[in-house]
Amino acid sequence: MKFDPNWVYFAIFGLLAYMFFTNKDAMPTEKQIDWSDFQRHARENVFAKMTVNLKENLVLAVVKPEHQRAIFGDTLPVATPNRWTGEMEQPSVKVTLPSADRFSDFYDKTKEQYHIDATVKYEEGGNFWLSLLSSLFPILFIVCIWMFAMRKMGGGAGGIFGVGNTKAQMYDKTSDANKKTTFKDVAGLSEAKQEVEEIVDFLKNPDKYTKLGAKIPTGALLVGPPGTGKTLLAKAVAGEADVPFFSLSGSDFVEMFVGVGASRVRDLFAKAKAKAPCIVFIDEIDAVGRARSRNMAMGGNDERENTLNQLLTEMDGFGTNSGVIILAATNRADILDKALLRAGRFDRQINVDLPELNDRKEIFIVHLRDIKTDETVDTEFLARQTPGFSGADIANVCNEAALIAARNGKDLVQRDDFMNAVDRIVAGLEKKSKITTLEERQTIALHEAGHATLSWKLEHANPLVKVTIVPRGKSLGAAWYMPEERQITTYQQLQDEMCATLGGRAAEELSTGKISTGAANDLEKVTKQAYAMVVYYGMSERLANLNYYDSSGQDWGTFTKPYSDETATLIDEEVKRIIQEQYLRAKEILQLNRDKHKELADMLLEKEVIYSDDLEKIFGKRQWLSRSQEILQQQGLIEPEPEAPSEELKT
Ligand code: ATP
């Protein structure tokens, strides 16, 4: 049978408790009496032996057998052996003395007179060892409990109670927990997949590369927005590679004890080296790999930095790891320490971006495998309706659609269910029961119609798909657009987007002469965008081509901004100017299309939801004015509604 060290603690604890509680005052053979009774019994010469404890002012007097019944009556105790010495303990009485002197006075005076024949023994104190033990008991008790708790926390052998052991989980050929995920489950991401497939190949056929003199890379970093499939890729590697795979999260290194992080890194690499060739996967590596602080005087996070230093050493120190490949994932490569990213540590950075149209289609195909759909569901259409969605969002849409269909008692999931799921994910749950007054609904309709009108009239604004005044999530109305999937955005595009966003408030002001709180979200978005244009993109007139962004993720703080107070004022002024310009522009365009805007708002009030077809009925084919035409028209130099380039709405 395996020996469990916890039993030792239990045994020590039990023994101490026994000694502590059994050392307490009254023994079973003792009876407590008061001083006057004691004097009376002493004069009657009932005691055979008296032991005086001078320290505690106690007398323990053994009663002669012939007097025992008189003193103890029915409660006469039976003589028992002493548990320490084994001697038989005679029934005794115990008395607390007013003082030790009073006893000796009393004894001296009465001894002769009453012929007392008891032997008297004076003792300096109680049992030294017992009293020492009982005074130490509380401390020993706490130590026992603490050691027991530490053993439990440490979880076994190694280090100081095992706290420094790595928490990595290991998967190998024999463990099939992760075998289920393969590269087939990862849709799209073709470049990223190719890179990690190569890593698997390095480990399977190292000779293929080393015979040409190539070195096997030490690490690859998967970088990308949340939910794009980084962890999924790593799981697929674990499922496909026939080598041991250690998986842990960056936060697993972090602990409240100093030095534990570094010790866990050492332990992880020691275990990995013992199993080489193998793969170590660290998810959310930014928890530990964040850039070390430059200014130690301001106080860095020492423990995390020690952990990072240890990681750097292990990844490319003197004892380079042969056959251990590190895969890591993060959403924030910009804040990682530069030393971690250099070649030799993470040789490869694999970008896992938000999926494009074709990738989204493939992801839909993967996630629709288990969902029973009817023939109305077309993955191409669904992919088009979900721009900006990550793989995780798409998985969520599929699941949500199935739930909606089930709630409506359908046997198969239909296209409508998918559309409802998309709407729900984008804008939140529809809240038809939210009570709004007619006046509020009119304002919302005007607001949403303002957005819709501008998005129809501005060249670079995202084309509108649907607009509603049914409250959803936190908003009272919502408009769906089909964003263009682009990699760079021009100044004109940003301007048009801002103008369309401000269209809601501009419409309220123009139509009712009042403004409302309904535009708060729009204003937040626009202000952030204008600020980014000035500070990050160098897109303002007076601060052209300047960038005040530190891509290393360091916060400049309030006192160390890299610009002067005058520049700060300029930034504020430029942000205000950009927003003001677009607001005026929005009002101008709405003014020019006043009747149609009103018509649209009325239609919205009546139908609650309108689509791009309805807009086309009101405004005609989507057409926009160039900026110069807008100005000319504003000044009355050209007719409103000029012949302008038109284009079909591509949705
Ligand atoms: P985070 O950075 O937030 O940890 P992540 O990039 O690691 O996110 P995953 O956990 O890999 O994201 O993805 C979450 C889920 O999204 C997966 O379990 C999977 O269902 C789905 N998913 C994401 N990308 C894909 C893809 N390319 N193919 C199939 N499913 C995907």
Side-chain angles (χ1 to χ4, degrees):
M1 206 177 85
K2 219 177 142 195
F3 171 70
D4 182 354
N6 288 330
W7 286 111
V8 176
Y9 298 110
F10 278 125
I12 296 176
F13 173 70
L15 183 68
L16 285 171
Y18 175 72
M19 286 163 71
F20 180 71
F21 292 113
T22 53
N23 187 35
K24 281 294 158 200
D25 301 338
M27 296 292 188
T29 50
E30 288 168 13
K31 180 182 178 186
Q32 187 92 30
I33 58 172
D34 63 23
W35 174 230
S36 55
D37 284 349
F38 175 78
Q39 286 173 307
R40 185 165 50 81
H41 289 316
R43 287 188 199 105
E44 288 161 8
N45 199 13
V46 300
F47 300 126
K49 183 178 158 191
M50 290 188 261
T51 309
V52 185
N53 184 329
L54 294 173
K55 193 174 166 204
E56 293 180 22
N57 277 348
L58 280 176
V59 176
L60 196 66
V62 176
V63 182
K64 288 178 183 166
E66 61 273 25
H67 297 289
Q68 285 173 356
R69 179 131 327 258
I71 291 183
F72 291 98
D74 292 341
T75 57
L76 175 65
V78 184
T80 48
N82 183 300
R83 64 183 173 281
W84 307 115
T85 59
E87 277 174 31
M88 290 305 277
E89 273 182 357
Q90 296 299 331
S92 328
V93 293
K94 190 179 192 180
V95 61
T96 307
L97 300 172
S99 73
D101 292 346
R102 291 277 296 275
F103 176 80
S104 42
D105 282 354
F106 165 76
Y107 182 67
D108 292 345
K109 279 183 201 157
T110 50
K111 186 182 165 201
E112 299 295 321
Q113 192 182 350
Y114 294 94
H115 308 290
I116 296 173
D117 54 3
T119 53
V120 176
K121 196 172 139 198
Y122 289 92
E123 273 181 2
E124 280 302 318
N127 183 327
F128 171 76
W129 291 109
L130 279 181
S131 48
L132 179 73
L133 262 179
S134 45
S135 56
L136 282 181
F137 175 76
I139 299 171
L140 287 171
F141 175 72
I142 291 168
V143 170
C144 269
I145 296 279
W146 181 74
M147 292 190 34
F148 179 70
M150 289 306 281
R151 284 199 67 84
K152 284 274 158 221
M153 260 173 65
I160 168 168
F161 306 116
V163 179
N165 287 355
T166 173
K167 291 184 172 176
Q169 285 190 36
M170 200 194 80
Y171 306 96
D172 57 16
K173 274 184 241 172
T174 52
S175 60
D176 50 16
N178 254 23
K179 282 271 169 184
K180 286 173 219 128
T181 312
T182 64
F183 285 128
K184 280 203 205 88
D185 299 306
V186 186
L189 307 178
S190 40
E191 293 86 10
K193 226 154 73 174
Q194 194 184 335
E195 297 258 349
V196 290
E197 271 170 338
E198 211 172 86
I199 290 176
V200 174
D201 198 43
F202 285 146
L203 291 168
K204 280 186 177 164
N205 314 302
D207 297 344
K208 183 170 142 192
Y209 302 90
T210 48
K211 76 176 179 209
L212 297 176
K215 283 198 195 103
I216 307 275
T218 25
L221 184 67
L222 299 164
V223 185
T228 41
K230 300 180 291 295
T231 314
L232 189 73
L233 258 182
K235 278 189 190 165
V237 174
E240 299 260 344
D242 273 341
V243 295
F245 184 91
F246 292 86
S247 163
L248 78 166
S249 157
S251 59
D252 287 343
F253 292 116
V254 187
E255 193 72 63
M256 62 178 181
F257 304 116
V258 174
V260 168
S263 143
R264 284 187 179 164
V265 173
R266 273 193 299 275
D267 188 51
L268 170 69
F269 278 84
K271 284 192 178 138
K273 274 185 225 168
K275 294 267 178 186
C278 68
I279 297 173
V280 173
F281 174 60
I282 308 175
D283 208 354
E284 318 294 352
I285 196 174
D286 39 298
V288 66
R290 193 179 284 258
R292 286 162 290 181
S293 54
R294 296 176 199 158
N295 189 354
M296 286 313 284
M298 298 292 278
N301 183 345
D302 277 353
E303 172 54 7
R304 193 183 51 70
E305 290 182 7
N306 287 343
T307 312
L308 174 58
N309 284 333
Q310 187 64 40
L311 188 66
L312 295 177
T313 320
E314 292 288 351
M315 284 190 74
D316 190 21
F318 271 123
T320 307
N321 305 291
S322 49
V324 179
I325 293 189
I326 316 290
L327 269 183
T330 178
N331 302 325
R332 307 273 329 258
D334 53 332
I335 60 164
L336 291 184
D337 200 281
K338 294 277 175 286
L340 196 60
L341 295 176
R342 77 149 168 79
R345 293 209 176 92
F346 285 112
D347 303 286
R348 296 178 168 202
Q349 272 202 36
I350 304 172
N351 279 325
V352 185
D353 291 325
L354 284 174
E356 312 227 320
L357 187 68
N358 283 334
D359 291 344
R360 289 202 299 274
K361 197 172 145 188
E362 284 180 36
I363 299 175
F364 265 112
I365 293 172
V366 166
H367 288 283
L368 288 179
R369 275 192 309 218
D370 301 328
I371 293 184
K372 290 186 185 135
T373 53
D374 73 358
E375 68 295 336
T376 55
V377 177
D378 169 17
T379 47
E380 169 88 28
F381 171 80
L382 291 178
R384 281 194 179 282
Q385 296 302 314
T386 48
F389 277 43
S390 66
D393 292 332
I394 293 176
N396 195 11
V397 166
C398 295
N399 191 45
E400 199 65 49
L403 292 178
I404 293 173
R407 199 177 303 141
N408 295 333
K410 295 185 187 171
D411 293 331
L412 295 170
V413 190
Q414 294 171 321
R415 181 178 164 144
D416 283 355
D417 304 318
F418 280 94
M419 292 317 294
N420 284 337
V422 171
D423 291 354
R424 187 178 168 161
I425 285 166
V426 173
L429 192 62
E430 207 170 68
K431 288 184 185 156
K432 285 208 162 140
S433 57
K434 202 170 208 166
I435 298 165
T436 43
T437 62
L438 179 65
E439 200 183 338
E440 277 173 341
R441 280 157 51 77
Q442 278 167 343
T443 311
I444 300 165
L446 286 168
H447 182 106
E448 297 303 334
H451 287 308
T453 308
L454 284 168
S455 74
W456 204 255
K457 286 285 166 193
L458 290 166
E459 180 178 2
H460 300 294
N462 295 320
L464 187 114
V465 178
K466 168 178 160 185
V467 51
T468 171
I469 57 164
V470 177
R472 262 183 186 277
K474 284 187 182 162
S475 59
L476 296 170
W480 280 255
Y481 300 95
M482 181 61 67
E484 218 180 299
E485 290 186 39
R486 55 184 178 227
Q487 307 304 324
I488 51 171
T489 308
T490 63
Y491 182 56
Q492 284 69 26
Q493 285 165 339
L494 283 172
Q495 277 186 318
D496 283 6
E497 277 168 18
M498 284 173 84
C499 183
T501 313
L502 287 165
R505 167 152 288 190
E508 284 178 43
E509 196 192 336
L510 263 185
S511 312
T512 63
K514 292 183 216 154
I515 52 173
S516 75
T517 54
N521 278 346
D522 298 339
L523 299 185
E524 183 188 341
K525 191 170 149 202
V526 163
T527 311
K528 279 190 184 147
Q529 204 167 38
Y531 184 78
M533 283 167 76
V534 178
V535 179
Y536 303 152
Y537 305 128
M539 280 183 178
S540 68
E541 278 166 23
R542 288 193 286 170
L543 292 167
N545 308 329
L546 287 168
N547 174 312
Y548 296 112
Y549 177 63
D550 184 354
S551 58
S552 68
Q554 297 282 327
D555 187 1
W556 275 310
T558 322
F559 304 110
T560 49
K561 284 203 168 80
Y563 42 77
S564 65
D565 287 349
E566 288 74 38
T567 310
T569 316
L570 264 183
I571 292 175
D572 287 343
E573 283 170 7
E574 285 296 88
V575 169
K576 273 187 217 154
R577 183 187 58 77
I578 291 175
I579 295 176
Q580 193 56 19
E581 263 180 27
Q582 292 314 313
Y583 186 65
L584 290 177
R585 185 173 165 219
K587 285 213 307 198
E588 283 165 16
I589 298 175
L590 283 171
Q591 183 74 37
L592 293 173
N593 296 280
R594 206 175 182 144
D595 299 341
K596 292 185 172 163
H597 169 246
K598 175 85 179 52
E599 200 180 324
L600 182 62
D602 290 343
M603 189 193 250
L604 247 179
L605 258 183
E606 187 195 313
K607 290 176 63 177
E608 292 200 330
V609 184
I610 57 174
Y611 295 87
S612 52
D613 303 348
D614 301 307
L615 256 85
E616 202 171 311
K617 272 185 217 141
I618 297 177
F619 289 99
K621 285 253 183 296
R622 191 171 177 226
Q623 49 184 277
W624 49 81
L625 310 175
S626 70
R627 191 78 181 100
S628 51
Q629 280 170 324
E630 257 178 47
I631 293 166
L632 288 175
Q633 193 178 327
Q634 184 63 27
Q635 293 168 349
L637 298 176
I638 56 171
E639 286 292 303
E641 305 268 321
E643 278 302 301
S646 68
E647 196 176 286
E648 291 256 358
L649 176 63
K650 298 186 208 102
T651 54

